[in-house]
Amino acid sequence: MHNIKFWFSRGSCSLATHTLLHESGLPFTPVETSVQKQETQSASFARINPKRRVPVLSFDDAVITETPAIALAISQWVPNKSLLGVSELDKVRVLEWMCWLSGEVHGQAFGGLFRPQRFTDDPALHESIQTKARLRVADAFKTIESKLGNAFAVGESLTVVDPYLLVFFNWGNEIGFEMKDEYPTYADFSLRIAAHPSVIKALNDETSGMF
Ligand SMILES: N[C@@H](CCC(=O)N[C@@H](CS)C(=O)NCC(=O)O)C(=O)O
């Protein structure tokens, strides 16, 4: 049995990993590291992850970053749970979703909106970067809306894609998009995923501050 430690921040993309950990049933030690309070920028956290981002997972002496890689680590520990899909095609679809969600939707679209300073050192350009980023988010949501319709994004059971999609849905609401009206299929999907027992456990952990 590995000694698993998990660094997360409430309301962040780490919810996807947090959900997967609960779904795995494996014991883990959560460590809250708030993005809002800039704890991810501290020198002590940078020693754990020089990229200064959550989620981070460590087991024994290995430190893993990047949501898709962490998801692979967890899924390999519980292969019977098929957390990255059941069939060959499902697994390919999960990878396809994760590349796009983490690269385009998270890194580029939301990255430009929340962190325009990553794209230019000139503050005068931040607003225009954010305007374009909002359009990219809206465009991504349109694509997501067209791809959903079943209980889960891929196959017949929960994969890492589902809670990752929920994160972006929640962020859409936070940035003032009319998610329910504009993306009804995505909204129904998100309601169902938010009611999944592992998501509830992760959200409860994150809001109760029990750790
Ligand atoms: N590519 C990384 C992105 C991780 C990331 O950007 N995490 C955000 C929270 S959603 C973060 O830690 N941000 C810290 C900051 O911007 O200060 C992944 O997929 O895990």
Side-chain angles (χ1 to χ4, degrees), residues 50 52 106:
R52 294 180 160 90
H106 191 186

Side-chain angles (χ1 to χ4, degrees), residues 12-13 35 40-41 52-55 66-68 106 115 118 164 171:
S12 86
C13 61
V35 172
T40 40
Q41 303 308 310
R52 294 180 160 90
R53 312 261 180 110
V54 286
E66 304 300 324
T67 303
H106 191 186
R115 298 277 189 270
R118 284 186 192 152
Y164 209 17
W171 289 358

